[in-house]
Amino acid sequence: MKVTRRVFIQLTGSAALMVSAPTVLAQGLSVKRLPLPCSPAEGKWIGSACQGCTQYCAIEVFNQNGRATRVRGNQNSKGNHGFCCPRGHLIPQENYDPDRIKQPLKRTNPQKGRGIDPKWIPISWDEALDIVADKMVELRNAGEPERLLYLKGRYGNTSHALLYGTLTKLFGSPNNFSTSALCAETEKMGPGYTQGLFSYRDYDLGNSKCVVFWGTDPFASNRQVPNVISRLGQLQKKGILITVDPRLSTAAAKSKEWLPILPGTDGALTNAIAHVLLTEGLWNKDFVGDFADGKNLFVPGKTVDPQTFKENNTLGLITYWNEEAKDWTPERAAKECRLDAEQIRRVAKAMGQAAPNVIVWMGPGVCMNPRGTYTAMVVHALNGILGSVDNVGGAHDPVKSLSGKYPSMDKYIDELAKDHGKGKKIDGRGDLDMPAAMKAKLGSGVVTNNIANYMLENPDFVKVMISSWTNTPFAAADGKRWEKALANVPFFVHMVPFPSEMTQFADIVLPSTFNAAEGMGAVTGFGSMHAWTSLQQPTCDRIWDVKQEENEVTWLLAEKLAKKGWPTLLNYYSTEFVDPETGARPTNEKEFQLITTKIASHHAGSVRRSRFRAIKSMVGKTSGREECIIPLIRFTRNIGAESSQHRAVNLSLFPEI
């Protein structure tokens, strides 16, 4: 083989040339394989689940003499194809981080604030939980259980049921919250109010001819990172990658088209793409519908008589065209978005030509801003115009994971809990100025950041706060509000594996296991057209005095509360939780941990979508620079027997802005 300059440059990027250049130069591209420097390490792979993002990938951790040394994707996983992303590979470094919280800590400085030394002293778990139980029982005895606030961050299925679900409900506080509004709620509302799907979406990447990464970078961040990385070569070879993002992300660097949009103008770009799809006749007629006489009446600047168009699986397309899309030419959008009009037109045509095997992958960058729900709606609605919704190579409802169900706690709720547990949540959900209608029901969503506002306006309300795996002063917008609010809390318990900006306000710090390596529980996930329930189990020895906050700590706290006069929580745990294999009931925190994990994973399995179905989609209207999409109509999902799961969404609750 003749080694040209091009071939030589290509070869210099590989270890082959560096190691055995004579072989390469003499015999072309064949490479002399050198023997491995050592035999494979002795040890065993132990299955667990990563919690680096909400994908919750199934992983395997390599155990050598009791220590976790390597991580890979579970070799049987259909969700990550046996790979894991850098977050998974970093699990050993995180697990053995010297800055881990190694034992319970007690604050001795009553003064709180940013940069103020808490003057912690190490204490035992027994003493720490005694203090926590005392504070909680004080609230019950004073008839003020609603003044207990619990806030969860990253969590597994066991936490959702035990800490978030049972602890506050049995105690009598309505104030249990998640941090999901800081990362996911708005994104889910976009497809929720267009498609009836209040969830992350799944994507049929294996059959897609065009993928648009819009305000997201799944090569580097939440979600499906191993799945997307492993399919990059296939996606580039079979189709076209497009990225809409102000920054040159990894996805943008790998894409054929990068649109560095001006932040906050996503609605304008969406309207222009829809304008091109409709005027060029590139909408998916099988899914959307067509004009009665087959003649395209979508003409720039001209309205269309709704009677001339028969819709199949969308509602409101003609209204959307008449009120908004007809005037949004690529030239107009280019000025708003600081983009090239010809590129907008070229990208829109590429999407239309690939339809319905096209994915508009909307991410948080689209909607994590004022009026973000409306922007999320119109961007996701492109999947409806393109006919990609639940179609081959398109955007899909996630497959549901199969998991066990924890026993009912209803008979353990006493009168105090019934009376006080029905009170209004302090995040203000359900108010006219904060409807939080996650599933078309007022107050069904969480408004995490509004908790701090309430705590500042009512500084004496929250008396006991418990939080796990959170750092709101860092993660929330205007984190200084959280610092001021936390400084006012008389008693704050932080359950985390690592200290953070939030930990400095704690009165008691309870060190959590690093659950991907040390904990035991169950998590569920979906991706790559599959769903799974994964078990977390100890993959190494614990070297510090830490406990799993979701089940070990809850049991130990229940025991302390029982000794101090409130046995309800312990009675529920010890009576209702039964090992599905042996029939035994728990008597200590280790048995409770095992039983709760077994129940959560009971009847679990992997299921795969076996069919593609069309559902209805709705498109909205934007008002230009302000990026406000005005809902126009009601939407009813109509998929036969499953339609009862998705009720009509009455959008009249949203005022025109």
Side-chain angles (χ1 to χ4, degrees):
M1 184 191 83
K2 182 180 179 182
V3 181
T4 65
R5 181 175 182 274
R6 178 180 295 276
V7 171
F8 183 81
I9 291 174
Q10 290 175 339
L11 291 174
T12 57
S14 69
L17 182 64
M18 306 305 291
V19 174
S20 60
T23 304
V24 174
L25 296 177
Q27 302 178 23
L29 293 178
S30 62
V31 177
K32 181 181 179 180
R33 298 288 182 184
L34 298 178
L36 291 172
C38 61
S39 60
E42 294 184 1
K44 59 182 178 179
W45 290 100
I46 301 175
S48 188
C50 179
Q51 284 185 282
C53 78
T54 56
Q55 185 70 14
Y56 299 131
C57 282
I59 60 171
E60 293 175 321
V61 180
F62 196 61
N63 180 298
Q64 290 180 276
N65 298 319
R67 291 183 68 88
T69 59
R70 287 182 59 196
V71 179
R72 69 184 184 187
N74 190 299
Q75 299 302 289
N76 296 314
S77 172
K78 302 297 183 182
N80 59 26
H81 317 291
F83 300 102
C84 66
C85 77
R87 283 188 293 271
H89 290 299
L90 287 171
I91 286 173
Q93 285 89 332
E94 293 176 281
N95 191 60
Y96 299 115
D97 191 323
D99 290 330
R100 286 265 314 259
I101 303 170
K102 302 174 179 65
Q103 63 188 106
L105 302 172
K106 176 184 176 182
R107 186 185 201 94
T108 60
N109 184 1
Q111 187 179 3
K112 294 183 180 181
R114 175 191 280 205
I116 294 177
D117 184 1
K119 296 184 179 179
W120 282 314
I121 59 172
I123 59 175
S124 67
W125 276 95
D126 188 63
E127 182 181 354
L129 292 175
D130 253 331
I131 296 171
V132 176
D134 281 336
K135 295 295 183 179
M136 293 178 65
V137 170
E138 283 179 15
L139 291 184
R140 289 277 306 184
N141 292 341
E144 300 177 330
E146 71 279 2
R147 293 176 183 261
L148 169 72
L149 184 155
Y150 172 68
L151 178 66
K152 69 175 179 178
R154 184 55 48 85
Y155 59 91
N157 292 36
T158 41
S159 173
H160 186 76
L162 301 178
L163 272 172
Y164 181 80
T166 64
L167 177 64
T168 50
K169 189 171 183 178
L170 291 177
F171 191 79
S173 175
N175 292 310
N176 56 336
F177 304 98
S178 75
T179 59
S180 57
L182 301 180
C183 63
E185 301 284 291
T186 311
E187 180 186 335
K188 293 176 181 178
M189 282 188 172
Y193 284 115
T194 55
Q195 187 183 330
L197 175 65
F198 289 87
S199 170
Y200 292 118
R201 282 73 58 209
D202 200 0
Y203 304 99
D204 185 19
L205 291 171
N207 294 298
S208 184
K209 297 177 182 177
C210 176
V211 181
V212 184
F213 299 114
W214 200 314
T216 187
D217 183 11
F219 292 99
S221 62
N222 198 27
R223 311 178 61 249
Q224 300 200 30
V225 178
N227 178 35
V228 178
I229 291 176
S230 67
R231 293 185 182 275
L232 173 61
Q234 178 187 13
L235 289 170
Q236 290 178 320
K237 185 180 296 184
K238 290 179 59 177
I240 179 173
L241 297 183
I242 300 167
T243 294
V244 180
D245 202 310
R247 68 186 186 94
L248 181 59
S249 63
T250 304
K254 302 297 182 182
S255 295
K256 184 175 181 180
E257 298 276 2
W258 172 40
L259 292 85
I261 188 172
L262 184 71
T265 62
D266 300 86
L269 177 59
T270 307
N271 285 337
I273 291 175
H275 180 95
V276 174
L277 291 173
L278 297 174
T279 56
E280 296 285 342
L282 295 175
W283 74 91
N284 187 263
K285 297 177 178 59
D286 289 339
F287 185 83
V288 178
D290 199 0
F291 291 98
D293 59 3
K295 181 181 178 181
N296 187 359
L297 299 180
F298 290 123
V299 178
K302 295 186 178 181
T303 60
V304 171
D305 181 357
Q307 300 301 317
T308 64
F309 194 94
K310 177 175 171 48
E311 287 188 87
N312 292 336
N313 294 302
T314 59
L315 294 170
L317 178 64
I318 302 304
T319 306
Y320 170 54
W321 168 264
N322 288 340
E323 303 228 3
E324 196 66 22
K326 67 179 176 61
D327 298 318
W328 276 99
T329 64
E331 288 72 23
R332 179 185 175 188
K335 294 179 180 179
E336 289 283 332
C337 306
R338 307 298 190 267
L339 296 173
D340 178 65
E342 194 52 45
Q343 185 186 30
I344 295 175
R345 186 173 284 105
R346 183 173 65 246
V347 164
K349 289 182 178 180
M351 294 166 64
Q353 290 163 1
N357 313 123
V358 60
I359 294 167
V360 180
W361 188 321
M362 181 199 62
V366 171
C367 49
M368 298 299 283
N369 50 61
R371 302 187 178 96
T373 292
Y374 299 129
T375 314
M377 288 170 63
V378 76
V379 172
H380 184 70
L382 287 176
N383 286 303
I385 296 175
L386 294 163
S388 68
V389 178
D390 262 359
N391 212 327
V392 175
H396 287 258
D397 287 22
V399 182
K400 290 186 177 180
S401 303
L402 302 179
S403 58
K405 185 178 180 181
Y406 285 127
S408 171
M409 71 188 93
D410 291 348
K411 66 181 181 181
Y412 293 89
I413 302 175
D414 60 21
E415 291 304 316
L416 182 65
K418 287 180 181 178
D419 292 341
H420 292 255
K422 295 178 181 179
K424 186 171 179 57
K425 290 178 175 284
I426 63 173
D427 65 344
R429 67 182 72 180
D431 291 343
L432 288 177
D433 61 342
M434 194 66 69
M438 172 58 78
K439 296 186 178 179
K441 178 183 177 183
L442 286 175
S444 59
V446 61
V447 194
T448 310
N449 233 354
N450 211 33
I451 298 170
N453 296 334
Y454 184 93
M455 293 170 69
L456 290 173
E457 294 168 2
N458 304 272
D460 298 326
F461 181 80
V462 176
K463 292 186 176 180
V464 176
M465 179 176 176
I466 303 174
S467 189
S468 56
W469 286 62
T470 48
N471 187 14
T472 50
F474 176 83
D478 190 10
K480 290 183 179 180
R481 293 177 305 110
W482 280 94
E483 293 180 351
K484 294 176 182 177
L486 291 167
N488 290 330
V489 177
F491 186 72
F492 172 42
V493 183
H494 207 200
M495 299 193 291
V496 283
F498 306 96
S500 68
E501 290 86 348
M502 192 172 185
T503 314
Q504 67 182 313
F505 297 93
D507 295 275
I508 295 291
V509 182
L510 300 178
S512 302
T513 50
F514 188 65
N515 291 331
E518 299 174 321
M520 178 177 286
V523 296
T524 57
F526 65 84
S528 189
M529 308 303 288
H530 288 76
W532 55 86
T533 297
S534 293
L535 295 182
Q536 290 182 322
Q537 59 181 326
T539 62
C540 59
D541 299 336
R542 298 182 189 178
I543 62 175
W544 293 304
D545 190 12
V546 297
K547 297 187 185 298
Q548 220 278 14
E549 79 287 347
E550 298 180 349
N551 37 46
E552 288 182 286
V553 175
T554 51
W555 176 274
L556 292 171
L557 180 59
E559 287 184 327
K560 290 291 186 182
L561 290 167
K563 290 179 180 179
K564 297 176 185 299
W566 188 62
T568 303
L569 193 62
L570 183 62
N571 289 342
Y572 168 60
Y573 290 160
S574 60
T575 304
E576 300 298 328
F577 284 77
V578 180
D579 190 312
E581 294 179 318
T582 67
R585 287 178 168 80
T587 61
N588 57 51
E589 75 275 15
K590 294 297 182 183
E591 293 175 356
F592 186 62
Q593 182 182 58
L594 180 61
I595 290 173
T596 54
T597 302
K598 283 185 177 182
I599 295 174
S601 59
H602 199 49
H603 301 307
S606 178
V607 293
R608 192 185 196 284
R609 180 179 299 280
S610 60
R611 60 193 177 93
F612 299 98
R613 50 182 168 77
I615 66 171
K616 292 193 172 183
S617 183
M618 181 193 79
V619 290
K621 161 190 172 182
T622 68
S623 62
R625 185 181 297 274
E626 292 187 344
E627 300 305 304
C628 170
I629 303 171
I630 311 302
L632 302 172
I633 54 177
R634 294 179 67 187
F635 160 64
T636 305
R637 189 172 184 180
N638 182 16
I639 51 175
E642 296 180 76
S643 61
S644 61
Q645 300 177 15
H646 304 274
R647 294 171 294 179
V649 175
N650 184 354
L651 299 177
S652 62
L653 300 171
F654 294 86
E656 294 192 3
I657 300 174

